Amino acid sequence: MLHDLNFRSFSQKARARRQSQTAQGSSTASANGHNTNKVGLLPSKGWRERNLKFFSDVLIPHLLAPRQAGGEFSFRADLENHETGVTWLGHAGFLLQVGGKNILVDPVWALWLGPIKRVSHPSLVARSLPYIDLVLITHAHFDHLHLPSLRSIAAGQPIIVPEGVGSIVKNCAFSRVIEMHYWQTLRVDTLDITFTPTKHWGARFIHDTYRKFGGYLITERRSGHTIFHCGDSSLFDGFQDIAKRSPIDIALMPIGAYEPPSGRPVHMNPEEALVAADMLSARHIVPMHYGTFPISGEPIHEPVQRFRTKADASLDHTVHVLNEGRSRVFGR
């Protein structure tokens, strides 16, 4: 389903109709992959022991360690129409420069997420960015949707969020809050933005499991250049369905937080991320979701080390490991 950002908004009546259609038949939703991609909330056996180990081996040592200084940043403001700029902001945050637009995805500049301490100061902060034309949020978790960070860049531009997440960001000074459901496509000038399923969960708190979650395909129609931001996901067959929508030039893939204290399979490890990239047939891979917040049991530097080792042994992909705040320009 295609909508044009310049001409059409989503009415309350349309949202109610979609909710009614969803409630009418779970068998149809399951056949389309809309219900089968949610990971359950219950922890696996041994979660108490894993929580104690996480507190003693990860959380407390990082609380006591000094926060590292931020690194240098760089991005080009003069890209040609056929060029795409990708700048990693840390964790799952990116500045994407594509089709003459500056797009932010999941920006989080927080120094703390509750008791979780950011490992280093952000390298590229909001005041150093160019004007942001559009913001994309993959899901409502606090390490992806951080309200102070969003308020710092909100200046009357639109924000796109999954279905059920709009109420969280409605008071952040964005001109429009657009909720998307799976496989919906929004046209923004020369860009087509499609919201895709992933295998994860979307509740901000325990009681609001109705909120959707996913990733985004961003295609520049003149060049055909396509970026896929995966959001959070464990490995699932749905990556093959995503690949059928468009050839993917650049896949931004999560590689960390694969040993959560709950034991739930909510994230990919580095090897699984490369398998997912194979399923996507991605030409280029940029890893993310590692090294910024110690939110899982593995050592903070392990994900990228494992990713580099596995990627070096494979000839199937061009891998780009970005330092936080640093850019890579891709051309056709």
Side-chain angles (χ1 to χ4, degrees):
M1 183 181 299
L2 179 66
H3 294 275
D4 195 314
L5 180 58
N6 296 319
F7 301 109
R8 185 174 297 183
S9 62
F10 306 116
S11 66
Q12 293 293 331
K13 183 180 293 184
R15 292 179 186 170
R17 182 167 62 250
R18 290 202 303 269
Q19 293 169 355
S20 174
Q21 291 169 346
T22 301
Q24 283 175 1
S26 60
S27 60
T28 301
S30 179
N32 291 329
H34 293 184
N35 285 343
T36 58
N37 61 324
K38 182 181 292 186
V39 177
L41 296 177
L42 293 178
S44 65
K45 185 178 180 180
W47 64 271
R48 292 182 178 85
E49 293 80 4
R50 286 193 300 271
N51 270 283
L52 289 173
K53 184 174 176 60
F54 174 72
F55 273 89
S56 62
D57 294 358
V58 178
L59 187 61
I60 292 177
H62 278 284
L63 287 174
L64 298 176
R67 182 177 286 115
Q68 300 170 20
E72 295 183 356
F73 68 86
S74 68
F75 62 87
R76 278 178 49 194
D78 57 344
L79 297 184
E80 302 292 336
N81 287 336
H82 66 278
E83 294 180 317
T84 297
V86 175
T87 306
W88 187 40
L89 304 178
H91 203 55
F94 282 89
L95 166 65
L96 305 178
Q97 297 168 278
V98 54
K101 300 292 185 185
N102 296 317
I103 302 172
L104 273 190
V105 188
D106 289 359
V108 176
W109 289 290
L111 295 179
W112 296 89
L113 293 175
I116 306 296
K117 180 181 178 180
R118 191 180 183 117
V119 172
S120 62
H121 287 275
S123 298
L124 179 57
V125 295
R127 64 178 177 271
S128 301
L129 293 174
Y131 176 77
I132 301 302
D133 299 287
L134 182 66
V135 180
L136 308 180
I137 298 297
T138 62
H139 60 297
H141 290 170
F142 285 89
D143 59 327
H144 293 256
L145 194 169
H146 182 244
L147 288 173
S149 294
L150 292 179
R151 293 189 182 105
S152 70
I153 52 88
Q157 67 274 73
I159 184 172
I160 297 175
V161 299
E163 194 171 15
V165 178
S167 61
I168 301 175
V169 301
K170 65 181 180 180
N171 295 321
C172 289
F174 293 104
S175 63
R176 298 173 67 182
V177 177
I178 303 164
E179 295 188 357
M180 296 186 74
H181 54 276
Y182 294 136
W183 301 124
Q184 181 180 355
T185 297
L186 187 71
R187 180 157 289 176
V188 184
D189 291 343
T190 64
L191 303 180
D192 285 344
I193 300 172
T194 301
F195 183 55
T196 74
T198 56
K199 189 167 185 179
H200 196 57
W201 61 301
R204 194 162 175 87
F205 302 100
I206 294 298
H207 66 278
D208 57 357
T209 56
Y210 62 88
R211 303 189 198 276
K212 295 295 190 294
F213 52 91
Y216 291 98
L217 283 169
I218 305 168
T219 300
E220 209 286 316
R221 293 195 303 280
R222 294 170 299 186
S223 65
H225 213 207
T226 297
I227 306 172
F228 175 61
H229 189 296
C230 184
D232 274 353
S233 185
S234 54
L235 187 63
F236 80 132
D237 291 341
F239 288 119
Q240 295 174 332
D241 296 326
I242 295 169
K244 294 175 183 177
R245 300 283 168 155
S246 174
I248 295 173
D249 295 283
I250 309 165
L252 313 177
M253 302 299 293
I255 66 169
Y258 44 83
E259 292 186 5
S262 69
R264 296 160 59 230
V266 291
H267 300 108
M268 291 182 285
N269 63 36
E271 295 79 14
E272 290 170 332
L274 286 166
V275 170
D278 272 329
M279 297 168 71
L280 292 165
S281 299
R283 293 177 57 213
H284 301 274
I285 308 168
V286 177
M288 64 169 178
H289 206 270
Y290 71 93
T292 307
F293 295 104
I295 58 175
S296 185
E298 75 272 5
I300 194 73
H301 299 296
E302 181 182 279
V304 71
Q305 292 170 350
R306 282 176 54 174
F307 182 79
R308 287 182 185 273
T309 299
K310 183 64 175 179
D312 287 345
S314 172
L315 300 178
D316 297 331
H317 305 287
T318 302
V319 170
H320 310 270
V321 178
L322 300 181
N323 291 330
E324 184 181 324
R326 307 295 288 185
S327 298
R328 173 81 190 203
V329 176
F330 298 86
R332 291 296 291 177

